[in-house]
mmCIF file with all atom_site columns, all heavy atoms in Angstrom:
data_model
loop_
_atom_site.group_PDB
_atom_site.id
_atom_site.type_symbol
_atom_site.label_atom_id
_atom_site.label_alt_id
_atom_site.label_comp_id
_atom_site.label_asym_id
_atom_site.label_entity_id
_atom_site.label_seq_id
_atom_site.pdbx_PDB_ins_code
_atom_site.Cartn_x
_atom_site.Cartn_y
_atom_site.Cartn_z
_atom_site.occupancy
_atom_site.B_iso_or_equiv
_atom_site.pdbx_formal_charge
_atom_site.auth_seq_id
_atom_site.auth_comp_id
_atom_site.auth_asym_id
_atom_site.auth_atom_id
_atom_site.pdbx_PDB_model_num
ATOM 1   N N   . ILE A 1 428 ? 32.052 3.416  -12.170 1.00 98.00 ? 428 ILE A N   1
ATOM 2   C CA  . ILE A 1 428 ? 33.217 4.143  -12.656 1.00 98.00 ? 428 ILE A CA  1
ATOM 3   C C   . ILE A 1 428 ? 33.688 5.133  -11.607 1.00 98.00 ? 428 ILE A C   1
ATOM 4   O O   . ILE A 1 428 ? 32.882 5.831  -10.981 1.00 98.00 ? 428 ILE A O   1
ATOM 5   C CB  . ILE A 1 428 ? 32.886 4.865  -13.978 1.00 98.00 ? 428 ILE A CB  1
ATOM 6   C CG1 . ILE A 1 428 ? 32.795 3.849  -15.131 1.00 98.00 ? 428 ILE A CG1 1
ATOM 7   C CG2 . ILE A 1 428 ? 33.909 5.951  -14.294 1.00 98.00 ? 428 ILE A CG2 1
ATOM 8   C CD1 . ILE A 1 428 ? 32.438 4.451  -16.461 1.00 98.00 ? 428 ILE A CD1 1
ATOM 9   N N   . GLY A 1 429 ? 35.024 5.156  -11.414 1.00 97.00 ? 429 GLY A N   1
ATOM 10  C CA  . GLY A 1 429 ? 35.618 6.111  -10.500 1.00 97.00 ? 429 GLY A CA  1
ATOM 11  C C   . GLY A 1 429 ? 36.711 6.908  -11.191 1.00 97.00 ? 429 GLY A C   1
ATOM 12  O O   . GLY A 1 429 ? 37.196 6.529  -12.268 1.00 97.00 ? 429 GLY A O   1
ATOM 13  N N   . PHE A 1 430 ? 37.082 8.017  -10.593 1.00 96.00 ? 430 PHE A N   1
ATOM 14  C CA  . PHE A 1 430 ? 38.157 8.858  -11.123 1.00 96.00 ? 430 PHE A CA  1
ATOM 15  C C   . PHE A 1 430 ? 39.152 9.113  -9.998  1.00 96.00 ? 430 PHE A C   1
ATOM 16  O O   . PHE A 1 430 ? 38.792 9.598  -8.925  1.00 96.00 ? 430 PHE A O   1
ATOM 17  C CB  . PHE A 1 430 ? 37.593 10.188 -11.649 1.00 96.00 ? 430 PHE A CB  1
ATOM 18  C CG  . PHE A 1 430 ? 36.598 10.021 -12.766 1.00 96.00 ? 430 PHE A CG  1
ATOM 19  C CD1 . PHE A 1 430 ? 35.238 9.970  -12.500 1.00 96.00 ? 430 PHE A CD1 1
ATOM 20  C CD2 . PHE A 1 430 ? 37.020 9.907  -14.087 1.00 96.00 ? 430 PHE A CD2 1
ATOM 21  C CE1 . PHE A 1 430 ? 34.320 9.813  -13.523 1.00 96.00 ? 430 PHE A CE1 1
ATOM 22  C CE2 . PHE A 1 430 ? 36.105 9.747  -15.114 1.00 96.00 ? 430 PHE A CE2 1
ATOM 23  C CZ  . PHE A 1 430 ? 34.752 9.693  -14.832 1.00 96.00 ? 430 PHE A CZ  1
ATOM 24  N N   . LYS A 1 431 ? 40.437 8.782  -10.253 1.00 92.00 ? 431 LYS A N   1
ATOM 25  C CA  . LYS A 1 431 ? 41.455 8.962  -9.232  1.00 92.00 ? 431 LYS A CA  1
ATOM 26  C C   . LYS A 1 431 ? 42.820 9.133  -9.879  1.00 92.00 ? 431 LYS A C   1
ATOM 27  O O   . LYS A 1 431 ? 43.181 8.354  -10.785 1.00 92.00 ? 431 LYS A O   1
ATOM 28  C CB  . LYS A 1 431 ? 41.475 7.772  -8.274  1.00 92.00 ? 431 LYS A CB  1
ATOM 29  C CG  . LYS A 1 431 ? 42.378 7.976  -7.064  1.00 92.00 ? 431 LYS A CG  1
ATOM 30  C CD  . LYS A 1 431 ? 42.256 6.815  -6.093  1.00 92.00 ? 431 LYS A CD  1
ATOM 31  C CE  . LYS A 1 431 ? 43.112 7.043  -4.857  1.00 92.00 ? 431 LYS A CE  1
ATOM 32  N NZ  . LYS A 1 431 ? 43.017 5.905  -3.913  1.00 92.00 ? 431 LYS A NZ  1
ATOM 33  N N   . ASP A 1 432 ? 43.546 10.138 -9.441  1.00 91.00 ? 432 ASP A N   1
ATOM 34  C CA  . ASP A 1 432 ? 44.905 10.394 -9.919  1.00 91.00 ? 432 ASP A CA  1
ATOM 35  C C   . ASP A 1 432 ? 44.955 10.487 -11.441 1.00 91.00 ? 432 ASP A C   1
ATOM 36  O O   . ASP A 1 432 ? 45.879 9.955  -12.087 1.00 91.00 ? 432 ASP A O   1
ATOM 37  C CB  . ASP A 1 432 ? 45.870 9.300  -9.422  1.00 91.00 ? 432 ASP A CB  1
ATOM 38  C CG  . ASP A 1 432 ? 45.939 9.235  -7.909  1.00 91.00 ? 432 ASP A CG  1
ATOM 39  O OD1 . ASP A 1 432 ? 45.766 10.286 -7.262  1.00 91.00 ? 432 ASP A OD1 1
ATOM 40  O OD2 . ASP A 1 432 ? 46.131 8.125  -7.371  1.00 91.00 ? 432 ASP A OD2 1
ATOM 41  N N   . GLY A 1 433 ? 43.976 11.136 -12.022 1.00 91.00 ? 433 GLY A N   1
ATOM 42  C CA  . GLY A 1 433 ? 43.974 11.345 -13.461 1.00 91.00 ? 433 GLY A CA  1
ATOM 43  C C   . GLY A 1 433 ? 43.643 10.121 -14.280 1.00 91.00 ? 433 GLY A C   1
ATOM 44  O O   . GLY A 1 433 ? 43.806 10.131 -15.506 1.00 91.00 ? 433 GLY A O   1
ATOM 45  N N   . ALA A 1 434 ? 43.163 9.070  -13.647 1.00 96.00 ? 434 ALA A N   1
ATOM 46  C CA  . ALA A 1 434 ? 42.820 7.836  -14.362 1.00 96.00 ? 434 ALA A CA  1
ATOM 47  C C   . ALA A 1 434 ? 41.361 7.485  -14.128 1.00 96.00 ? 434 ALA A C   1
ATOM 48  O O   . ALA A 1 434 ? 40.723 7.938  -13.174 1.00 96.00 ? 434 ALA A O   1
ATOM 49  C CB  . ALA A 1 434 ? 43.720 6.690  -13.914 1.00 96.00 ? 434 ALA A CB  1
ATOM 50  N N   . LEU A 1 435 ? 40.853 6.670  -15.026 1.00 97.00 ? 435 LEU A N   1
ATOM 51  C CA  . LEU A 1 435 ? 39.484 6.155  -14.906 1.00 97.00 ? 435 LEU A CA  1
ATOM 52  C C   . LEU A 1 435 ? 39.549 4.758  -14.303 1.00 97.00 ? 435 LEU A C   1
ATOM 53  O O   . LEU A 1 435 ? 40.372 3.926  -14.718 1.00 97.00 ? 435 LEU A O   1
ATOM 54  C CB  . LEU A 1 435 ? 38.814 6.135  -16.278 1.00 97.00 ? 435 LEU A CB  1
ATOM 55  C CG  . LEU A 1 435 ? 37.356 5.658  -16.343 1.00 97.00 ? 435 LEU A CG  1
ATOM 56  C CD1 . LEU A 1 435 ? 36.586 6.442  -17.392 1.00 97.00 ? 435 LEU A CD1 1
ATOM 57  C CD2 . LEU A 1 435 ? 37.288 4.161  -16.681 1.00 97.00 ? 435 LEU A CD2 1
ATOM 58  N N   . GLN A 1 436 ? 38.692 4.504  -13.329 1.00 97.00 ? 436 GLN A N   1
ATOM 59  C CA  . GLN A 1 436 ? 38.617 3.192  -12.695 1.00 97.00 ? 436 GLN A CA  1
ATOM 60  C C   . GLN A 1 436 ? 37.340 2.484  -13.124 1.00 97.00 ? 436 GLN A C   1
ATOM 61  O O   . GLN A 1 436 ? 36.252 3.034  -13.002 1.00 97.00 ? 436 GLN A O   1
ATOM 62  C CB  . GLN A 1 436 ? 38.628 3.328  -11.169 1.00 97.00 ? 436 GLN A CB  1
ATOM 63  C CG  . GLN A 1 436 ? 39.866 3.982  -10.592 1.00 97.00 ? 436 GLN A CG  1
ATOM 64  C CD  . GLN A 1 436 ? 39.745 4.180  -9.093  1.00 97.00 ? 436 GLN A CD  1
ATOM 65  O OE1 . GLN A 1 436 ? 38.660 4.478  -8.570  1.00 97.00 ? 436 GLN A OE1 1
ATOM 66  N NE2 . GLN A 1 436 ? 40.849 4.006  -8.379  1.00 97.00 ? 436 GLN A NE2 1
ATOM 67  N N   . LEU A 1 437 ? 37.489 1.275  -13.616 1.00 97.00 ? 437 LEU A N   1
ATOM 68  C CA  . LEU A 1 437 ? 36.346 0.432  -13.971 1.00 97.00 ? 437 LEU A CA  1
ATOM 69  C C   . LEU A 1 437 ? 36.146 -0.597 -12.863 1.00 97.00 ? 437 LEU A C   1
ATOM 70  O O   . LEU A 1 437 ? 36.959 -1.513 -12.700 1.00 97.00 ? 437 LEU A O   1
ATOM 71  C CB  . LEU A 1 437 ? 36.572 -0.277 -15.305 1.00 97.00 ? 437 LEU A CB  1
ATOM 72  C CG  . LEU A 1 437 ? 36.665 0.597  -16.559 1.00 97.00 ? 437 LEU A CG  1
ATOM 73  C CD1 . LEU A 1 437 ? 36.933 -0.291 -17.778 1.00 97.00 ? 437 LEU A CD1 1
ATOM 74  C CD2 . LEU A 1 437 ? 35.395 1.399  -16.764 1.00 97.00 ? 437 LEU A CD2 1
ATOM 75  N N   . TRP A 1 438 ? 35.084 -0.413 -12.096 1.00 97.00 ? 438 TRP A N   1
ATOM 76  C CA  . TRP A 1 438 ? 34.758 -1.352 -11.022 1.00 97.00 ? 438 TRP A CA  1
ATOM 77  C C   . TRP A 1 438 ? 33.680 -2.312 -11.517 1.00 97.00 ? 438 TRP A C   1
ATOM 78  O O   . TRP A 1 438 ? 32.504 -1.947 -11.587 1.00 97.00 ? 438 TRP A O   1
ATOM 79  C CB  . TRP A 1 438 ? 34.249 -0.605 -9.787  1.00 97.00 ? 438 TRP A CB  1
ATOM 80  C CG  . TRP A 1 438 ? 35.273 0.230  -9.080  1.00 97.00 ? 438 TRP A CG  1
ATOM 81  C CD1 . TRP A 1 438 ? 35.594 1.525  -9.323  1.00 97.00 ? 438 TRP A CD1 1
ATOM 82  C CD2 . TRP A 1 438 ? 36.099 -0.185 -7.984  1.00 97.00 ? 438 TRP A CD2 1
ATOM 83  N NE1 . TRP A 1 438 ? 36.563 1.964  -8.470  1.00 97.00 ? 438 TRP A NE1 1
ATOM 84  C CE2 . TRP A 1 438 ? 36.897 0.928  -7.622  1.00 97.00 ? 438 TRP A CE2 1
ATOM 85  C CE3 . TRP A 1 438 ? 36.256 -1.392 -7.287  1.00 97.00 ? 438 TRP A CE3 1
ATOM 86  C CZ2 . TRP A 1 438 ? 37.828 0.884  -6.594  1.00 97.00 ? 438 TRP A CZ2 1
ATOM 87  C CZ3 . TRP A 1 438 ? 37.174 -1.439 -6.257  1.00 97.00 ? 438 TRP A CZ3 1
ATOM 88  C CH2 . TRP A 1 438 ? 37.957 -0.324 -5.915  1.00 97.00 ? 438 TRP A CH2 1
ATOM 89  N N   . TRP A 1 439 ? 34.061 -3.527 -11.873 1.00 97.00 ? 439 TRP A N   1
ATOM 90  C CA  . TRP A 1 439 ? 33.102 -4.548 -12.267 1.00 97.00 ? 439 TRP A CA  1
ATOM 91  C C   . TRP A 1 439 ? 32.646 -5.304 -11.026 1.00 97.00 ? 439 TRP A C   1
ATOM 92  O O   . TRP A 1 439 ? 33.448 -5.604 -10.130 1.00 97.00 ? 439 TRP A O   1
ATOM 93  C CB  . TRP A 1 439 ? 33.702 -5.510 -13.291 1.00 97.00 ? 439 TRP A CB  1
ATOM 94  C CG  . TRP A 1 439 ? 33.965 -4.851 -14.612 1.00 97.00 ? 439 TRP A CG  1
ATOM 95  C CD1 . TRP A 1 439 ? 35.146 -4.336 -15.053 1.00 97.00 ? 439 TRP A CD1 1
ATOM 96  C CD2 . TRP A 1 439 ? 33.017 -4.614 -15.651 1.00 97.00 ? 439 TRP A CD2 1
ATOM 97  N NE1 . TRP A 1 439 ? 35.009 -3.783 -16.307 1.00 97.00 ? 439 TRP A NE1 1
ATOM 98  C CE2 . TRP A 1 439 ? 33.705 -3.941 -16.708 1.00 97.00 ? 439 TRP A CE2 1
ATOM 99  C CE3 . TRP A 1 439 ? 31.658 -4.888 -15.799 1.00 97.00 ? 439 TRP A CE3 1
ATOM 100 C CZ2 . TRP A 1 439 ? 33.077 -3.555 -17.881 1.00 97.00 ? 439 TRP A CZ2 1
ATOM 101 C CZ3 . TRP A 1 439 ? 31.034 -4.509 -16.974 1.00 97.00 ? 439 TRP A CZ3 1
ATOM 102 C CH2 . TRP A 1 439 ? 31.735 -3.858 -18.002 1.00 97.00 ? 439 TRP A CH2 1
ATOM 103 N N   . LYS A 1 440 ? 31.375 -5.631 -10.982 1.00 95.00 ? 440 LYS A N   1
ATOM 104 C CA  . LYS A 1 440 ? 30.783 -6.215 -9.773  1.00 95.00 ? 440 LYS A CA  1
ATOM 105 C C   . LYS A 1 440 ? 31.462 -7.506 -9.351  1.00 95.00 ? 440 LYS A C   1
ATOM 106 O O   . LYS A 1 440 ? 31.603 -7.770 -8.147  1.00 95.00 ? 440 LYS A O   1
ATOM 107 C CB  . LYS A 1 440 ? 29.279 -6.446 -9.995  1.00 95.00 ? 440 LYS A CB  1
ATOM 108 C CG  . LYS A 1 440 ? 28.530 -6.911 -8.756  1.00 95.00 ? 440 LYS A CG  1
ATOM 109 C CD  . LYS A 1 440 ? 27.046 -7.048 -9.049  1.00 95.00 ? 440 LYS A CD  1
ATOM 110 C CE  . LYS A 1 440 ? 26.274 -7.501 -7.820  1.00 95.00 ? 440 LYS A CE  1
ATOM 111 N NZ  . LYS A 1 440 ? 24.821 -7.644 -8.084  1.00 95.00 ? 440 LYS A NZ  1
#
Side-chain angles (χ1 to χ4, degrees):
I428 286 178
F430 299 94
K431 188 175 182 181
D432 299 329
L435 182 144
Q436 299 175 324
L437 295 178
W438 292 89
W439 292 97
K440 186 177 180 180

